[in-house]
Amino acid sequence: MKILVLGSGAREHAIVNCLLRDSTAHEIIAAPGNAGIAQVVDVVAMDPTDGVVVAEYAVEQNLDLVIIGPEAPLVAGVTDVLRKAGVPVFGPSKAAAALEGSKDFAKEVMEAAGVPTGRARTVSTMSDVDAALDEFGSPYVVKADGLAAGKGVLVTSDRAAARDHAEFYIHQGPVLIEEFLEGREVSLFVLCDGDAVVALSPAQDYKRVFDGDKGPNTGGMGAYSPLPWLPTGFVDEIVETVAQPTIREMSRRGMPFVGLLYCGLILTNDGIRVIEFNVRFGDPETQVVLERLDSSLANLLLATATGRLAAVPAPQFSSDVAVTVVLASEGYPESPETGRAISGLSDALALDGVSIVHGATAVSDGGFVSTGGRVLSVIASGANFTEARERAYSALGLISLDGAHYRNDIAESADR
Ligand code: AMP
Ligand code: GLY
């Protein structure tokens, strides 16, 4: 197959690597890609949110499949332009991408579909914010309705901070005040072709920047898969109580969901609740889920894109476990320092079971430099979490980047 992967992060690098592992050789192009991706496949300069440009390229190159990594092109409607041009595309329409693009819309769909989620109020004035903060009490959960590059959610027991967060985002659109939910979080990726629903292996993400879940939320500092502590039947239960009802509700509304529904879940004492939906692969969970995927990713995603998901064999996952740890720049997430040299990558890569995907790097003077907050993800597989963790952290010990930081506790409690 000739496949275009849109996006430029570590997630897209992981997708490209997984496509390259296929027993059938594919021609893969990434746009715009990044310096790490450019080491393994061709990259072309392209604005991934410009549907017309992407569709022109896809038609001209006679592509078999376009895989959209990030949310921005989805919410911008790139999928719709590609479908109109007859190009098979993995990713939901602009209308269906609102499941991520508007938290209020997602809540409304969940309510209509009977999907369990936290109680919330969508508010547009500061007096309604105050009333909702009173209603739910501390700790306060305040969320921007729209996309906010991972910065839209604040969980705090500081009422003034909760109010300030709401005031900042209310100028851009509605704000949601939600009840605080407590429990372990799970990310479950579910492929949907508009009708059929197929879950991948669950993963856990670490959102807070520091060990022990301290510090501000980030895009994700690490992940592991599978989750041995999940109750038996968990994945089937989520498919039946969350994914299928949501997909049916979207079809009923005339906006069939085609692509990946990322179910962000929390296991509370009162049962499972959906914290959020995303409409794309998660970063860094993709790094560990795809590390363990033994089936052909290209076949799965093409079947999803073309409505044939029910006809393909269920995805198979390795019994090995996978751990990923994100190496972040000094100052991340508030104000990452960039332009610093990275060394030691080849030594790290020489370790058994270790691979590296790039999130924010560029080539300079024959080596790599950092260009953003989440610089790279070290991925390690192993027979168990002790082995995978040992490999991942040994690799990180060999990599140098001035001022960089990473969490030391990724997958530490995976077996408990
Ligand atoms: P979201 O972008 O909605 O996934 O939120 C980011 C993170 O904030 C989640 O992964 C949770 O750790 C936390 N969070 C979101 N909503 C809640 C909630 N209702 N109660 C507690 N924590 C939450
Ligand atoms: N790791 C969280 C996300 O991709 O949204």
Side-chain angles (χ1 to χ4, degrees), residues 106-120 143 178-179 181 234 237-246 263-277:
K107 287 281 183 200
E108 189 207 309
V109 169
M110 282 189 263
E111 190 177 342
V115 170
T117 183
R119 289 178 300 126
K143 302 186 174 186
E178 192 171 304
E179 72 173 312
L181 300 168
F234 175 87
E237 182 186 344
I238 298 305
V239 166
E240 278 161 34
T241 61
V242 174
Q244 277 169 345
T246 301
C263 303
L265 308 160
I266 190 158
L267 277 63
T268 75
N269 286 336
D270 302 325
I272 291 153
R273 301 280 182 276
V274 175
I275 288 214
E276 64 164 347
F277 283 136

Side-chain angles (χ1 to χ4, degrees), residues 57-413:
Y57 180 84
V59 170
E60 179 196 296
Q61 295 286 321
N62 210 5
L63 298 178
D64 297 300
L65 178 65
V66 177
I67 299 170
I68 303 188
E71 60 276 20
L74 299 168
V75 171
V78 170
T79 316
D80 305 67
V81 188
L82 283 165
R83 287 218 173 91
K84 212 177 239 169
V87 181
V89 51
F90 179 80
S93 65
K94 181 185 170 106
L99 277 180
E100 175 167 356
S102 165
K103 291 189 188 288
D104 181 53
F105 175 75
K107 287 281 183 200
E108 189 207 309
V109 169
M110 282 189 263
E111 190 177 342
V115 170
T117 183
R119 289 178 300 126
R121 298 264 173 268
T122 303
V123 292
S124 299
T125 66
M126 283 312 290
S127 61
D128 287 345
V129 166
D130 284 323
L133 292 175
D134 286 341
E135 178 185 351
F136 293 123
S138 174
Y140 304 104
V141 180
V142 182
K143 302 186 174 186
D145 176 58
L147 295 184
K151 298 200 170 106
V153 177
L154 182 70
V155 181
T156 179
S157 43
D158 178 345
R159 181 166 179 133
R163 243 189 141 261
D164 286 351
H165 189 78
E167 192 153 34
F168 178 82
Y169 281 106
I170 219 157
H171 298 296
Q172 297 166 33
V175 162
L176 277 78
I177 312 290
E178 192 171 304
E179 72 173 312
F180 176 76
L181 300 168
E182 205 167 3
R184 269 179 124 161
E185 289 182 42
V186 177
S187 303
L188 185 68
F189 298 166
V190 182
L191 302 175
C192 315
D193 67 359
D195 182 28
V197 164
V198 171
L200 302 185
S201 188
Q204 185 174 358
D205 180 19
Y206 289 73
K207 289 250 165 53
R208 302 278 182 152
V209 67
F210 300 127
D211 286 9
D213 292 331
K214 302 280 190 299
N217 269 330
T218 68
M221 294 298 290
Y224 66 90
S225 174
L227 311 184
W229 45 269
L230 280 177
T232 350
F234 175 87
V235 170
D236 291 341
E237 182 186 344
I238 298 305
V239 166
E240 278 161 34
T241 61
V242 174
Q244 277 169 345
T246 301
I247 297 313
R248 277 199 296 270
E249 176 62 19
M250 293 299 282
S251 293
R252 200 187 61 75
R253 290 174 183 229
M255 38 179 95
F257 189 95
V258 176
L260 188 147
L261 184 68
Y262 166 137
C263 303
L265 308 160
I266 190 158
L267 277 63
T268 75
N269 286 336
D270 302 325
I272 291 153
R273 301 280 182 276
V274 175
I275 288 214
E276 64 164 347
F277 283 136
N278 293 317
V279 298
R280 45 151 182 96
F281 281 102
D283 188 346
E285 297 97 314
T286 300
Q287 284 84 312
V288 285
V289 173
L290 295 189
E291 175 72 16
R292 298 183 49 243
L293 179 68
D294 283 340
S295 310
S296 161
L297 181 64
N299 286 348
L300 279 170
L301 302 193
L302 181 65
T304 305
T306 54
R308 294 182 298 103
L309 197 49
V312 296
Q316 299 297 309
F317 289 89
S318 165
S319 57
D320 276 1
V321 307
V323 170
T324 188
V325 183
V326 171
L327 181 75
S329 291
E330 179 175 359
Y332 177 77
E334 285 90 0
S335 46
E337 300 289 338
T338 60
R340 293 184 178 170
I342 305 161
S343 63
L345 296 186
S346 35
D347 290 342
L349 282 169
L351 299 181
D352 264 350
V354 169
S355 59
I356 294 172
V357 291
H358 292 225
T361 66
V363 172
S364 171
D365 289 336
F368 290 106
V369 295
S370 57
T371 59
R374 291 195 294 168
V375 178
L376 46 87
S377 308
V378 170
I379 306 160
S381 58
N384 52 54
F385 284 106
T386 309
E387 184 174 63
R389 268 173 53 78
E390 201 270 313
R391 289 173 169 177
Y393 285 108
S394 300
L396 279 155
L398 296 170
I399 299 172
S400 301
L401 168 62
D402 250 11
H405 59 99
Y406 54 84
R407 280 184 66 155
N408 293 285
D409 60 351
I410 305 300
E412 202 173 57
S413 51

